[in-house]
Amino acid sequence: GPIDATVLLVEDNADNRRLMTRFIEAAGARVLTAVDGRGGIALALTCPHALLLMDVQLPDADGLALVRDLRALGHDRPIVVLSADAARDTHRRARLAGADAFLAKPLDRLEFAALLHRLAVEGDRAPGHEVPPARVRSALLDEDPSLIDMVEYFVHRLPGLLAELESSRESAPEDFRRRLHDLKSLGGSYGYPQLSVLADALSAPEAQVPPAADLLLERLRNLAVRIHDDAVAGLAQRAP
């Protein structure tokens, strides 16, 4: 029977997007679409949905990296990776990234419909919020533990950076966008890619529709708390 569910489709190619939208609607499901990675992240973390379809080759991101980022941020809805590269290694990397299934393009319509019915059966649900344990340690320290003082300085500054970001949201939109760009850069530099992902998603057009920005800012605040708590725990472990 018809699928009473919302499918989120992240696909940059307009022709593929139209065709897959038709296939999804023919199965009875609703469709939300994004044309790039940051828009896909914004929708995936704020909109209730039953299934996420993620293209591998997006103009602003690697789809497999986005799947890893979503899982690291607590997203727990089924994810299907789409790619014209049907090599076995692509299947393997999709699974390692956290995808539930892989579909090769061009799509087989019957296989696609069967997958929709199998993975969207639970219906719509808000994506999870809980960041998995051990996901908030700075990757920079894995590369060079001697940079611990630099990472701790950044973690100490992070609450202030977020406060300044939020205060500029309504009063100074241009300043808000600049601060988002800075936070995206700093997150990457100091080994916290989840910060970069959320800052990038907040700059997407999809995040400008209420309540998306509020939900993403809440995730950003919660992540900052986890980062701070992890850093404090690390200090306690090193104390004599």
Side-chain angles (χ1 to χ4, degrees):
I3 304 172
D4 182 17
T6 302
V7 176
L8 172 54
L9 171 62
V10 186
E11 166 65 68
D12 65 305
N13 183 279
D15 293 322
N16 282 335
R17 202 165 54 247
R18 278 192 293 268
L19 184 61
M20 283 188 277
T21 295
R22 178 67 64 88
F23 288 172
I24 295 166
E25 291 176 340
R30 300 169 292 278
V31 189
L32 282 175
T33 62
V35 300
D36 56 20
R38 66 176 187 161
I41 292 284
L43 291 179
L45 293 178
T46 60
C47 296
H49 57 283
L51 176 65
L52 169 60
L53 303 176
M54 176 73 75
D55 186 33
V56 167
Q57 292 185 322
L58 294 166
D60 63 334
D62 171 9
L64 296 183
L66 293 182
V67 173
R68 283 193 297 272
D69 292 335
L70 283 169
R71 294 309 194 201
L73 288 165
H75 182 279
D76 56 359
R77 310 306 292 131
I79 299 178
V80 177
V81 165
L82 309 169
S83 176
D85 180 5
R88 181 176 299 178
D89 186 60
T90 308
H91 288 242
R92 183 186 63 82
R93 290 189 296 115
R95 292 285 189 177
L96 289 174
D100 296 273
F102 174 92
L103 281 179
K105 298 178 184 177
L107 297 179
D108 179 293
R109 186 171 183 178
L110 293 178
E111 181 185 11
F112 185 53
L115 193 69
L116 289 179
H117 279 85
R118 178 167 63 87
L119 291 181
V121 66
E122 291 185 6
D124 291 355
R125 185 160 55 80
H129 279 71
E130 186 62 29
V131 176
R135 294 285 189 156
V136 290
R137 174 182 162 84
S138 170
L140 193 62
L141 297 181
D142 295 332
E143 301 170 9
D144 188 349
S146 71
L147 294 173
I148 182 66
D149 60 320
M150 301 299 297
V151 172
E152 287 173 352
Y153 173 73
F154 171 69
V155 171
H156 178 73
R157 289 193 61 219
L158 187 56
L161 293 174
L162 291 187
E164 292 168 357
L165 175 71
E166 294 200 54
S167 67
S168 68
R169 179 181 166 196
E170 300 295 338
S171 60
E174 284 296 325
D175 190 38
F176 179 69
R177 284 189 285 272
R178 179 184 62 79
R179 291 181 185 278
L180 279 177
H181 177 79
D182 289 347
L183 185 60
K184 176 184 176 182
S185 175
L186 288 170
S189 297
Y190 281 89
Y192 294 107
Q194 301 98 323
L195 283 176
S196 299
V197 170
L198 288 175
D200 201 25
L202 268 163
S203 68
E206 290 84 352
Q208 311 315 310
V209 180
D214 290 330
L215 292 171
L216 289 171
L217 282 168
E218 180 185 0
R219 283 182 178 270
L220 200 53
R221 286 191 294 268
N222 291 341
L223 178 61
V225 169
R226 286 288 306 275
I227 288 172
H228 175 269
D229 289 350
D230 181 77
V232 170
L235 279 172
Q237 289 175 359
R238 291 194 302 276

